[in-house]
Amino acid sequence: MSYPGYPPSGGYPAFPGYPPTGQESAYPPAGQYSYPAVPGGYPPAGGGTYPAAPPSAGYPGAAGYPAPGGYPAPGGYPGAPQAGGMPPYPGGPGFGAPPPGPGFGGYPQPPAQSYAGGGPAQIPGYPGGQAPSPMPGAPAAMVQGTQGTVQAAPNFDAGRDAEILRKAMKGFGTDEQAIIDVVANRSNDQRQKIKAAFKTMYGKDLIKDLKSELSGNVEELILALFMPSTYYDAWSLRHAMKGAGTQERVLIEILCTRTNQEIREIVKCYKSEFGRDIEQDIRGDTSGHFERLLISMCQGNRDENQTVDYQKAQEDAQRLYQAGEGKLGTDESCFNMVLASRSFPQLKATVEAYSRIANRDLLSSIDREFSGNVERGLKTILQCALNRPAFFAERLYYSMKGAGTDDSTLIRIIVTRSEIDLVQIKQMFTQMYQKTLATMIASDTSGDYRRLLLAIVGQ
């Protein structure tokens, strides 16, 4: 069995031990992330040993790790899951369980990008037992991190694109394909330049023109693509709390998955664009422990130190156990404190330490100790720490599963992840549900809406 969530959405930094710690990338991600350099490739060809684990990590001995027949060996890793399998992902309100499969919490390991260090190594869990060859041109010990399906167009000319869009909307009828060809193949920054060029050249507002020519889901999708990224998140949060009722899942999806910098920019944008304080809106629309969790998220103060303190992970795991499974009742504030403040790599180590202490997966414990929106929020944070692309793949799947389609969720995730990690999300989707994201989109949507979504997804 392969290491859960390996490689993760953000890539691993070099770390002298196993497992390597995670790394959260900036928004949008940039640059490359390195794996620990291991002579002859990683993992070693022929099933050799991994680097020794730090003693404080509590892993079984380094030699021959993981043990043949499964990851990890019985008696080593948390609560001694049987060889060849990890504990299943606990389902819960609003989060259906992905199909059983390798990986932590039922999430399969993300499809490999390319390992540094040389030719194919025999790895259980890969088709044919083969790890992919290194990415062409990738320097030693470097591997591609997260990747979007939408890239900035080369030889970009905002004026020329504005002219194409004007021609597509002028006169009788609309050339939707011409609009799709431009919009789906430009980065968000380039779309902002097209919008400015359009107003300069024609004295008209591009968004108003597009709204007059389009309708329904394709209109919502194109308008989302033309919103600056931060504004779109702020706009989504405002609409989730505006009017009667609250779309709590939107609040969770955005506030529990973004980086510190993104959150601070969203909070500032929310104030400047809508003249409102997001904390006050959250207090007015939510209550109890869920309200406190969201207020914590709004601070954008999560520790972002990528170095894992295994001793602290052990202490936090013990603290969480004593606050939940180890006592009558639940100390919700303890869960809030740990999950809202620790870095994602640190939380990953805490999840592993917790399983050793409690003989239970932390996600499963949260299922037992919490309910409703606070449960969803806490699980979202952990899912992002363990495997962020898998979290978004699951959200996409359930936006289309069953009768009807949650088009707003489908649009929001495709648009917000299109320049960050939609490549990894697509790969996870296929691995988790045995069908491609494009196949499901094609069967659930139609017309120009389908064509534009598929163009963004990269089909």
Side-chain angles (χ1 to χ4, degrees):
M1 188 77 74
S2 40
Y3 180 73
Y6 182 87
S9 58
Y12 288 136
F15 185 85
Y18 189 80
T21 57
Q23 174 155 338
E24 294 305 311
S25 56
Y27 184 108
Q32 307 283 318
Y33 303 97
S34 57
Y35 287 75
V38 177
Y42 190 82
T49 62
Y50 285 73
S56 59
Y59 283 98
Y65 184 75
Y71 178 87
Y77 185 92
Q82 68 276 19
M86 294 297 291
Y89 170 76
F95 285 106
F104 208 114
Y107 279 156
Q109 106 169 11
Q113 302 307 299
S114 352
Y115 291 91
Q122 294 297 315
I123 309 180
Y126 281 104
Q130 296 275 304
S133 300
M135 191 190 320
M142 296 294 280
V143 67
Q144 184 172 353
T146 52
Q147 183 186 344
T149 54
V150 174
Q151 311 288 336
N155 308 315
F156 171 67
D157 183 333
R160 182 181 60 205
D161 285 347
E163 200 173 340
I164 292 169
L165 293 178
R166 171 72 175 143
K167 186 178 176 184
M169 295 184 285
K170 194 176 178 183
F172 182 73
T174 306
D175 184 352
E176 288 89 354
Q177 189 61 51
I179 297 174
I180 290 170
D181 289 343
V182 170
V183 173
N185 295 292
R186 305 293 182 270
S187 67
N188 188 278
D189 182 60
Q190 288 175 335
R191 292 185 209 114
Q192 305 315 312
K193 291 183 169 78
I194 294 169
K195 206 159 54 173
F198 193 92
K199 187 168 276 190
T200 301
M201 293 165 67
Y202 305 111
K204 299 184 73 177
D205 187 291
L206 173 59
I207 302 307
K208 284 184 179 174
D209 276 15
L210 286 168
K211 285 180 78 167
S212 69
E213 298 289 329
L214 305 167
S215 62
N217 291 322
V218 72
E219 176 190 347
E220 183 181 344
L221 176 53
I222 283 189
L223 295 186
L225 288 163
F226 272 102
M227 289 184 196
S229 304
T230 301
Y231 177 84
Y232 184 38
D233 275 346
W235 179 88
S236 298
L237 291 169
R238 177 70 193 118
H239 278 257
M241 294 185 279
K242 193 177 179 182
T246 305
Q247 298 171 47
E248 290 89 353
R249 290 169 197 267
V250 178
L251 305 183
I252 291 167
E253 179 197 304
I254 294 173
L255 293 174
C256 294
T257 66
R258 304 303 194 246
T259 66
N260 286 349
Q261 183 184 347
E262 289 163 8
I263 295 235
R264 289 170 190 158
E265 288 172 356
I266 289 166
V267 169
K268 192 189 304 180
C269 178
Y270 195 95
K271 180 75 172 176
S272 64
E273 294 296 327
F274 307 114
R276 304 178 67 89
D277 182 275
I278 194 168
E279 285 189 29
Q280 288 182 6
D281 281 358
I282 287 170
R283 287 195 177 95
D285 271 58
T286 62
S287 61
H289 297 295
F290 181 53
E291 173 197 323
R292 290 171 211 163
L293 180 65
L294 294 183
I295 296 296
S296 293
M297 295 295 100
C298 282
Q299 307 313 303
N301 281 332
R302 181 180 298 283
D303 178 16
E304 291 190 333
N305 180 356
Q306 300 304 303
T307 304
V308 172
D309 181 335
Y310 287 95
Q311 184 59 41
K312 182 190 274 188
Q314 185 75 16
E315 291 165 2
D316 281 348
Q318 187 67 46
R319 186 180 287 133
L320 292 172
Y321 179 71
Q322 295 300 337
E325 296 278 4
K327 64 174 282 190
L328 187 63
T330 308
D331 179 359
E332 293 89 355
S333 63
C334 177
F335 279 82
N336 193 101
M337 182 275 289
V338 173
L339 270 65
S341 62
R342 304 295 188 247
S343 72
F344 285 124
Q346 186 69 32
L347 282 177
K348 194 168 187 175
T350 302
V351 167
E352 291 159 358
Y354 184 91
S355 295
R356 292 193 295 275
I357 291 168
N359 287 333
R360 187 186 299 280
D361 192 305
L362 181 53
L363 282 165
S364 174
S365 289
I366 288 173
D367 256 345
R368 290 158 59 92
E369 299 291 325
F370 294 87
S371 63
N373 291 312
V374 68
E375 176 199 342
R376 293 188 190 105
L378 293 171
K379 285 166 70 175
T380 295
I381 294 168
L382 284 183
Q383 287 164 334
C384 283
L386 294 169
N387 190 331
R388 189 185 305 262
F391 166 75
F392 285 111
E394 185 183 46
R395 287 282 284 149
L396 286 169
Y397 179 76
Y398 284 99
S399 75
M400 294 180 280
K401 186 177 184 288
T405 303
D406 179 354
D407 292 292
S408 289
T409 295
L410 176 60
I411 289 168
R412 188 175 56 254
I413 294 176
I414 294 294
V415 170
T416 58
R417 310 313 293 184
S418 63
E419 292 182 53
I420 302 174
D421 54 3
L422 192 51
V423 167
Q424 282 71 28
I425 291 167
K426 283 167 56 180
Q427 292 168 332
M428 286 307 310
F429 193 97
T430 303
Q431 198 166 340
M432 290 164 71
Y433 302 111
Q434 289 77 54
K435 64 175 79 174
T436 67
L437 175 57
T439 301
M440 199 159 181
I441 287 172
S443 65
D444 248 60
T445 60
S446 61
D448 295 323
Y449 177 46
R450 173 200 284 164
R451 281 154 63 198
L452 181 50
L453 279 172
L454 292 177
I456 297 164
V457 166
Q459 292 300 125

